[in-house]
Amino acid sequence: MTKLPVPRSQAVCVPCRLGAIGAVVLALAGGFAYTAGWLTPKRLTTARIVNTFEAVAGQHPGYRRNHAKGLCVEGYFDSNGKGAVLSSADVFQPGRTPVTGRFAVPGGNPSAPDTSSPVRSLALEFQLQNGEQWRTGMNSTPVFAVHTPEQFYQQLLAAKPDPSTGKPDPAKLKAFYAANPETLPFQTWVKAHPPSSSLANAAYYGINAFRFTNSEGATHAVRWAMVPDTPYAPITDAQKAEKNFLAADLNQRIASGPLRWHLILTVAQPADPIDDATLQWPDDRQRIDAGTLVLERTTSQEDGTCRDINFDPTILPTGIKTSNDPLLAARSAAYALSYQRRTREETLNPAVHQTQAVTAATSNGAHS
């Protein structure tokens, strides 16, 4: 049988096809390499930020790279329905939403003293009835020290311990703050507001702005805060000498009854900055009390309900979206990488948390 020639229009150029496939593979590989920073070693990447956390705090397998020291809490959010004027999220409809949370102090060392930072944090995961989640990470200061990931990275470098002293070099920190005047509002606020004597009597601020959209389609920029029912009191001289008083105090308070905070939503005006976490909005902005956070139980972070939660602040329900604040995307990426590393470490060594807990208790002496 005579083999018919392939028409010119149907002819296949094998080298061309292989070349095209190779080009696609190279493009994909190049994309991964760029994302990882291999082709641009001076570009700031998530890995570089997380690696610097580890350099500052040391290696602590199985723990978060920041806010490593903490404890889990459980309770619920009791919405009064007033937040629905701003957002269509189910969490603002009247009723209760289960909440899992975590109190912590900044830094990557799970054995650090409670007084190692003037800042405390509260992270929450709201488990909405429609299956959505709202996760948020808040600090006990209404402003952040920096407003870009690059500034945050430089701050980490400035805080890296001096090998000769084991502590940050004051001259490097002073130089960083002098070169970044945006840090002044944070420094000023911290100097005027001593840390609270308890995790229970501190307010916690979302810091970043988010966009809330209600059922009618109206959108507003919003920040929020958890304001405690428990009256504020400053840290005492006796507490300053303690390494571990925050968890013990919280456990004692919750044993006597639930602790409560009011969720206060603050609404921006059009001229207010929504992409800069170093700047507060004026005090006369509209505020809405959207309901009450009630915390009823605490558990250890080594085996508690919050241990395996990545409190990524960009995990949001319908009715809430991120703003263009550059810190939000950076936080999300860093939290994800931290989560990947610590869960891998836990898988390779299931006893890592028990080992760390024993080490921490031994190093901290009687103040456990």
Side-chain angles (χ1 to χ4, degrees), residues 95-234:
R96 291 186 177 185
T97 299
V99 172
T100 299
R102 183 175 183 272
F103 284 103
V105 293
N109 184 358
S111 302
D114 288 346
T115 54
S116 59
S117 170
V119 180
R120 288 83 180 267
S121 72
L122 172 59
L124 300 173
E125 179 188 77
F126 298 77
Q127 299 129 23
L128 282 60
Q129 291 186 0
N130 63 359
E132 293 183 325
Q133 293 183 352
W134 177 22
R135 300 184 190 179
T136 176
M138 300 170 285
N139 283 344
S140 58
T141 59
V143 290
F144 202 56
V146 297
H147 73 94
T148 68
E150 291 77 12
Q151 281 184 319
F152 185 73
Y153 175 67
Q154 294 300 326
Q155 184 184 30
L156 282 178
L157 291 179
K160 191 174 181 179
D162 185 324
S164 62
T165 64
K167 298 180 180 181
D169 183 342
K172 290 183 178 180
L173 286 172
K174 184 178 180 179
F176 167 78
Y177 289 126
N180 295 274
E182 298 90 345
T183 63
L184 186 58
F186 174 83
Q187 296 182 71
T188 301
W189 196 93
V190 169
K191 290 177 181 178
H193 298 81
S196 64
S197 60
S198 171
L199 295 169
N201 61 11
Y204 299 92
Y205 304 87
I207 296 178
N208 305 108
F210 290 77
R211 294 189 179 277
F212 280 37
T213 301
N214 63 21
S215 58
E216 297 178 352
T219 298
H220 297 84
V222 173
R223 286 175 175 167
W224 59 77
M226 288 291 180
V227 178
D229 274 355
T230 308
Y232 163 83

Side-chain angles (χ1 to χ4, degrees), residues 69 105-107 109-120 239-246 363-364 367:
K69 183 179 185 178
V105 293
N109 184 358
S111 302
D114 288 346
T115 54
S116 59
S117 170
V119 180
R120 288 83 180 267
Q239 288 173 328
K240 292 177 183 178
E242 295 275 350
K243 286 190 173 182
N244 300 288
F245 67 92
L246 290 173
S363 63
N364 290 335
H367 302 303

Side-chain angles (χ1 to χ4, degrees), residues 5 49 81 101 165 170 173 190 226 285 293 297 310 324 341:
I49 291 176
T165 64
L173 286 172
V190 169
M226 288 291 180
R285 295 300 181 253
L293 172 69
R297 296 174 298 279
N310 169 13
N324 58 347
R341 290 187 181 183

Side-chain angles (χ1 to χ4, degrees), residues 68-120:
K69 183 179 185 178
L71 75 162
C72 301
V73 288
E74 295 176 76
Y76 60 88
F77 174 66
D78 191 4
S79 171
N80 56 26
K82 295 179 181 179
V85 70
L86 294 175
S87 172
S88 61
D90 278 7
V91 70
F92 296 121
Q93 295 301 313
R96 291 186 177 185
T97 299
V99 172
T100 299
R102 183 175 183 272
F103 284 103
V105 293
N109 184 358
S111 302
D114 288 346
T115 54
S116 59
S117 170
V119 180
R120 288 83 180 267

Side-chain angles (χ1 to χ4, degrees), residues 133-362:
Q133 293 183 352
W134 177 22
R135 300 184 190 179
T136 176
M138 300 170 285
N139 283 344
S140 58
T141 59
V143 290
F144 202 56
V146 297
H147 73 94
T148 68
E150 291 77 12
Q151 281 184 319
F152 185 73
Y153 175 67
Q154 294 300 326
Q155 184 184 30
L156 282 178
L157 291 179
K160 191 174 181 179
D162 185 324
S164 62
T165 64
K167 298 180 180 181
D169 183 342
K172 290 183 178 180
L173 286 172
K174 184 178 180 179
F176 167 78
Y177 289 126
N180 295 274
E182 298 90 345
T183 63
L184 186 58
F186 174 83
Q187 296 182 71
T188 301
W189 196 93
V190 169
K191 290 177 181 178
H193 298 81
S196 64
S197 60
S198 171
L199 295 169
N201 61 11
Y204 299 92
Y205 304 87
I207 296 178
N208 305 108
F210 290 77
R211 294 189 179 277
F212 280 37
T213 301
N214 63 21
S215 58
E216 297 178 352
T219 298
H220 297 84
V222 173
R223 286 175 175 167
W224 59 77
M226 288 291 180
V227 178
D229 274 355
T230 308
Y232 163 83
I235 187 172
T236 67
D237 290 338
Q239 288 173 328
K240 292 177 183 178
E242 295 275 350
K243 286 190 173 182
N244 300 288
F245 67 92
L246 290 173
D249 172 85
L250 191 74
N251 288 329
Q252 184 178 22
R253 288 174 184 265
I254 284 188
S256 300
L259 298 171
R260 292 175 169 82
W261 286 258
H262 290 267
L263 174 58
I264 307 299
L265 307 176
T266 301
V267 184
Q269 290 293 316
D272 292 335
I274 63 172
D275 61 351
D276 191 340
T278 68
L279 300 176
Q280 284 185 275
W281 295 340
D283 291 338
D284 62 356
R285 295 300 181 253
Q286 179 188 10
R287 286 178 169 81
I288 296 175
D289 185 338
T292 305
L293 172 69
V294 182
L295 297 181
E296 302 174 298
R297 296 174 298 279
T298 65
T299 53
S300 165
Q301 72 166 358
E302 277 72 28
D303 56 8
T305 52
C306 74
R307 191 191 76 178
D308 298 325
I309 297 177
N310 169 13
F311 290 100
D312 181 345
T314 66
I315 296 178
L316 303 165
T318 302
I320 306 177
K321 291 184 178 180
T322 59
S323 67
N324 58 347
D325 188 329
L327 291 178
L328 286 169
R331 289 177 65 187
S332 178
Y335 288 16
L337 182 56
S338 171
Y339 181 82
Q340 292 169 7
R341 290 187 181 183
R342 64 186 176 89
T343 52
R344 181 177 183 274
E345 292 157 357
E346 292 166 2
T347 301
L348 296 175
N349 183 9
V352 63
H353 282 290
Q354 286 76 11
T355 302
Q356 288 275 1
V358 170
T359 302
T362 302

